Amino acid sequence: MTDLPATNSDELDPEEQRVLAAIEAELPSMPAGAQNLIPILQRIQQTHGYLPRGGIYLVARHLGLAPSKVFGVATFYNQFRFNPPGRHPIKVCLGTACHVKGGEIILENFARRLGIEEGETTKDREYSLERVACVGCCALAPVVVVGEKIESYVTPSKVEGIITEIEVRREMAAREEERNES
Amino acid sequence: MSDDMVVLTVDGLEIKVPRGTKLLQACLDNGIYIPNLCYLEGMERPPSSCRLCLVEIEGRPGPVPSCSLEVENGMVVHTSTDALRRLQQTAFRLLVSTNSGKCSLCMANKRCEMQRIAKFLHMPLRTKRLRHIPKDMPRIIEEHPCIDYESNKCVLCGRCIYVCGRQEDAPFHLDFAGRGFNTVISFFGSELPGVAEYCRDCGACIAACPVGALSYREDRQRFLQQLERNKASRARK
């Protein structure tokens, strides 16, 4: 029914192309019929961490649905994301306590520092930015969860510190690797 | 009287319509106007989402949307009680509380359903009672190769989606995306080959839009240029 839009495939990075190829290979083993749309989307997200745009076309073709229908269902539910998770997912808490303590400002700070909006991932896939509703440690508000680590009493200056720390670690790891190779 | 005709009373007027007709359609055909946005003639199952076409039927406990109700013999219908008007005005207020834009700068000016309903309900196109909350998204969405979508005018009636879905040979179809306050008409799939050519000749969604939220990009640009020219000529005078 539908072919993948040609305009998009030139811009796809190799990572995304690999994911799309994997989805295409998986799909024939998945049940057909519109009632299986949500389970299929869930399985793709579980395997790959997100629903790539091209994957929605593939699923639509597999089920014989209009791509916009699949997109409509996927955007209706909060559980689906359309950007790959970063290696350092940043979750800014906007629960009641964090909201009162200025969680929005922290989110804005991260967005500006990383040059992405909430729900997006940086080009190099290092960072992704998300808002969450309460991580259960309101006494430490405002709270940010970076990977597995909880950052407490976050201030705008601390945002810079968090990113710098990750960058330094990355740099060190890269040098270590270089040294091991040589 | 033949079996396939039904007689009912609407606002004291006796009307005779074919069995199976929707009540709203029956009223409209007999010159009784009921405000409506999401209904289109011939719909099997109207979405009944605009909540403007409510009527009272004697013997029923509450108001019902007339667009999805089939006529019955001996029905006694009221379309203009005070209670109904208040419900319709509230529904209308909710619609205008998220909509924005100046009518004089809109392509649908004077043929807009919202203007017609505002006049009918004696309501302004702005509301003071409710907080105005414009949608948090780009005002003009140019996702489609030749159709512009103005999210702040859209009332999310779904008429465009209905008529688009009936174009069976179309290479792509419109649908809703998102949820709740962030619901939009999505053009996902409009990047497929052949869409621009097909949509340029079809235009069903644009014709079905009650408010002018959809327009051909070319037409809209021409309209904007005309506005500019009018403004310039007024300034010269």
Side-chain angles (χ1 to χ4, degrees), chain B residues 53-108:
Chain B
C53 70
L54 296 170
V55 294
E56 280 173 8
I57 293 162
E58 282 184 16
R60 295 215 182 198
V64 281
S66 60
C67 61
S68 51
L69 190 73
E70 281 187 12
V71 288
E72 282 166 30
N73 235 336
M75 235 179 200
V76 181
V77 184
H78 300 284
T79 72
S80 58
T81 63
D82 287 348
L84 285 175
R85 287 289 177 260
R86 277 200 300 278
L87 283 172
Q88 288 166 334
Q89 285 170 345
T90 303
F92 188 78
R93 253 188 216 111
L94 285 165
L95 283 172
V96 294
S97 73
T98 68
N99 280 34
S100 53
K102 250 188 162 160
C103 288
S104 58
L105 303 179
C106 176
M107 282 177 83

Side-chain angles (χ1 to χ4, degrees), chain A residues 30-40 59 61-65:
Chain A
M30 296 195 194
Q35 73 275 18
N36 293 305
L37 171 58
I38 292 174
I40 288 175
V59 173
R61 188 169 56 186
H62 176 67
L63 297 177
L65 295 169

Side-chain angles (χ1 to χ4, degrees), chain A residues 2-5 7-8 53 56-57 66-69 71-72 75-78, chain B residues 143 171-180 186-193:
Chain A
T2 41
D3 288 313
L4 281 182
T7 46
N8 252 12
R53 224 178 138 79
I56 291 176
Y57 284 99
S68 61
K69 184 115 235 161
F71 184 69
T75 51
F76 184 88
Y77 296 101
N78 275 340
Chain B
E143 217 179 304
F172 114 103
H173 290 288
L174 291 173
D175 213 322
F176 287 122
R179 177 179 49 181
S186 133
F187 296 88
F188 192 93
S190 61
E191 59 211 357
L192 292 168

Side-chain angles (χ1 to χ4, degrees), chain B residues 164 167-173 198:
Chain B
C164 186
Q167 314 292 325
E168 273 167 22
D169 53 339
F172 114 103
H173 290 288
Y198 186 94

